[in-house]
Amino acid sequence: MTVKSLVVYYSRTGNAKFVAETVAAELGSDIEEVVDMKSREGKLGWMSAGRDAMQGKETQISPTTKVPADYDLIIIGTPICAWSPSAAIRTYLSKNDLTGKKVALFFTMDSNLRGAVEKTKALAPKAVFVGDLAVAKTLENKEEAAKKIAEWCSTLKTQI
Ligand SMILES: Cc1cc2nc3c(=O)[nH]c(=O)nc-3n(C[C@H](O)[C@H](O)[C@H](O)COP(=O)(O)O)c2cc1C
C-alpha cells in the first residue's frame, strides 16, 4: 500500500524549510508551507516571534490548501521559539482537526528544545504521534542534517 504523506512547516529563516524539503523528498510527500501574515522580519519580528510563542499566542496564517484528512501521515515542522512551537504552527494546529491521524513532528533549533515537544503534542491531543526529530543549526551542518533526516524517515516508514 502506498502511504500518502503531507509535510506541513513554518520557517522564518530557512532551517525548517530545509528539513521539510528533505523529508518530502525522502518520503515522496506533498508539502505545505504555513505562512505567518504577521511580519517576523528584523529585530522587531524576532522579538514578536519569541514573545508570541512564549505566551502561547496564535497569529494570522494565510489559507492552507491541503486537507489533512486526505493523508495517512502528516509531518509537521517548526522552529523552536522560546522553548515552544512557533505561533504559526500553533495556529495551524488549532485550525486543523488531526483526530486519529498519524503525526510526526520535527523541530529546528539552536541548542535547546526543553518542553517544546510535549507543548506541541498538547496542541493536537487527539493525534497519534509516531515520531519526533530535533535538528540543531540545520543550515550550518546541511550534510549532517540530511543524514539525520534520512535516518529518521527510514524509521518513520517502519511505523506507518
Ligand atoms: C524568537 C526566537 C526564539 C528562539 N528560541 C530558541 C530556543 O528556545 N531554543 C533553541 O534552541 N533555539 C531557539 N531559537 C533558534 C531557532 O529555533 C533556530 O534558529 C531555528 O533553526 C530557526 O528555524 P527557521 O530558520 O526555520 O526559522 C529561537 C529563535 C527565535 C527567532
Side-chain angles (χ1 to χ4, degrees):
M1 186 190 83
T2 318
V3 172
K4 221 178 150 202
S5 57
L6 171 68
V7 177
V8 177
Y9 74 98
Y10 165 74
S11 183
R12 198 179 75 94
T13 51
N15 291 274
K17 181 180 169 71
F18 177 84
V19 179
E21 288 175 350
T22 308
V23 170
E26 288 286 335
L27 297 178
S29 318
D30 288 347
I31 191 160
E32 172 121 84
E33 179 177 8
V34 178
V35 177
D36 193 335
M37 304 299 277
K38 194 167 167 181
S39 170
R40 305 296 183 179
E41 302 272 315
K43 206 168 175 193
L44 283 181
W46 186 92
M47 285 193 301
S48 78
R51 192 181 51 239
D52 289 357
M54 194 160 55
Q55 295 177 352
K57 279 197 180 153
E58 291 188 15
T59 184
Q60 242 198 309
I61 58 174
S62 59
T64 49
T65 57
K66 310 273 196 281
V67 181
D70 294 345
Y71 294 88
D72 305 305
L73 171 68
I74 300 142
I75 302 108
I76 300 177
T78 179
I80 297 290
C81 294
W83 308 305
S84 309
S86 59
I89 287 300
R90 176 181 295 277
T91 308
Y92 178 86
L93 290 172
S94 88
K95 284 181 181 285
N96 288 274
D97 182 11
L98 299 176
T99 302
K101 282 281 155 196
K102 287 183 177 162
V103 173
L105 299 174
F106 72 80
F107 301 88
T108 60
M109 59 178 184
D110 283 350
S111 60
N112 194 343
L113 273 171
R114 232 182 201 171
V117 180
E118 294 315 316
K119 271 189 199 167
T120 310
K121 285 182 177 174
L123 300 173
K126 292 183 179 157
V128 179
F129 290 99
V130 295
D132 54 81
L133 173 75
V135 190
K137 299 194 185 290
T138 315
L139 293 179
E140 289 175 36
N141 307 290
K142 272 191 190 173
E143 244 177 69
E144 201 186 307
K147 209 171 143 219
K148 199 173 168 182
I149 296 160
E151 282 166 12
W152 186 59
C153 288
S154 306
T155 59
L156 276 185
K157 281 181 200 161
T158 66
Q159 294 191 24
I160 50 181

